[in-house]
Each structure stands twice: as structure tokens, then as C-alpha cells.
Amino acid sequence: LGSTPLTELPRISSALTPFRGDVTMLGGLCCDSGREHGDGSGDHARAGAAYLTATHPRKTSGKDIKAGTSIDQFAAAYFEGKTRFGSLELGCEEGIQGGNCDNGYSCAYSNSISWRTQDTPNPPEIRPRAVFERMFGTADEEKDPAKRQRFGEFRRSILDLALGEAQSLKSSLGGADRRKLDEYLYAIRDVEKRIQSIERDNAVRAPVKTALQTIQV
């Protein structure tokens, strides 16, 4: 490893020439975990799975997928509680998470670059409306506090019921199914956190709105 002053930039980067004293050019980089390493074809799936995990994924099209925790999730864990959402996974096109998508590699590898754990990918959200409502809430929630409260209580009752049934079911499941159930429970807990976060935000927003209305009057 070493470094040398930049005297001339590559043609594709020539627009940065006036700033070459402030630029660091990196070369010789490689995501070795995306190579085949004896697993044969499946470059697209391996590339997606290894991109943020730096882990060579297990070649399987079944439930026993395995990659690694992605770097974005380490950041999400570090900043937990400091932002409204730990992370937002966004995409442009729908992708299934099961089945064989690339020469024996699960579709989960091809369609998720974010992994919460080594066997739990974070599928991206592709619906703009769903993203907007997740970030800002629905119109009814914003405009009508009574509706917001009723809706929140309704959601909490459903979550409590789902958690109770899931926990009672867990002891009767095998290893692979327990992992899937854990993913389901994690998703429910994430919804709970979102509800609590929205409620905190609304509690702060309401006094501000009242104060503004008083000033206008």
C-alpha cells in the first residue's frame, strides 16, 4: 500500500483537475466475496449479497440462505434511537425473496443488498406512497387527533394479538421456521417502534400548532 501525489487525473475524472490536491483516488479494489470460489455460476446473486456484507453467500435456493450483516445495518444499530427510523430500504422494482433466481442462488440474494443478520435480508420498499406514509403518516392522522388516537389503539391491539399468538406457536416449530418467525416478530416490533416514534412526534407537533393558531388569532 502506498500513495503518490496526483499529477494527472484519468480522462473520465479530468473535470476534477482544479481540485486534485483535495482528491484521493483509490484503485485495485475488489469485492472478493462476490467471486465464485468454487460455486460456479451465479455472479449477479453473489454480487448483490456481497456488496454491503463483504461475505460470500451460501449457494442455496431454499430457506437456508446465509450472507452477513450489511454495513448499513451496523450504522443503523449505532444510531438506534437517534433517528426516526433505523434504516430505510428503497427500491425501483419489485423482487421476490424466495425461489431460484440465479443458477441455484435464492432470489433473496439478487433482490436485497441490505441484510439485518446473516440470514435475514431487508427487502426494499418500492411503493412511493407507502414510503411517504411511513415517513410522515397519513393525512387523516395529521389532520384529526381523534382519528389518530383511535387508529393507533387499533394498531396496538392487532400487534398485541399477533405477538401473543406468535410466541405460543414458536415452541412447536423447527429451526428454519423459528428463524422465519423471528423475522416476523422483528417486523412487528419495528412497527411498534414506528408507532411510538410517530406518537412522540405528534405530541411535540400539537403544542406548536396550538401556539401558531393562538398567534394567528
Side-chain angles (χ1 to χ4, degrees), residues 10-120:
R11 181 180 60 83
I12 196 171
S13 305
S14 59
L16 296 174
T17 297
F19 313 102
R20 63 178 179 270
D22 300 314
V23 173
T24 299
M25 302 289 288
L26 302 178
L29 300 179
C30 172
C31 185
D32 186 64
S33 297
R35 298 183 186 275
E36 63 176 275
H37 291 298
D39 282 343
S41 301
D43 293 337
H44 296 287
R46 281 195 301 266
Y51 178 53
L52 296 180
T53 66
T55 302
H56 186 76
R58 173 186 289 158
K59 188 167 188 177
T60 177
S61 59
K63 295 180 179 180
D64 56 334
I65 55 174
K66 183 178 180 182
T69 302
S70 53
I71 187 65
D72 63 300
Q73 293 304 296
F74 283 108
Y78 179 81
F79 289 107
E80 184 176 3
K82 299 178 182 178
T83 59
R84 185 166 183 176
F85 305 106
S87 63
L88 284 171
E89 293 75 41
L90 308 178
C92 298
E93 59 183 28
E94 188 172 8
I96 60 176
Q97 294 296 307
N100 179 359
C101 274
D102 189 3
N103 294 283
Y105 280 98
S106 170
C107 298
Y109 296 130
S110 301
N111 297 322
S112 296
I113 61 173
S114 175
W115 289 68
R116 184 173 62 84
T117 66
Q118 65 179 10
D119 53 14
T120 309

Side-chain angles (χ1 to χ4, degrees), residues 123-141:
E125 176 58 72
I126 65 169
R127 299 167 298 164
R129 177 179 291 276
V131 175
F132 181 88
E133 291 185 353
R134 181 179 177 187
M135 294 179 68
F136 305 109
T138 64
D140 283 344
E141 288 181 312

Side-chain angles (χ1 to χ4, degrees), residues 148-160:
R148 181 173 64 241
Q149 182 177 356
R150 287 198 301 272
F151 189 51
E153 291 172 352
F154 176 68
R155 283 189 299 189
R156 279 194 295 271
S157 65
I158 292 177
L159 292 175
D160 290 341

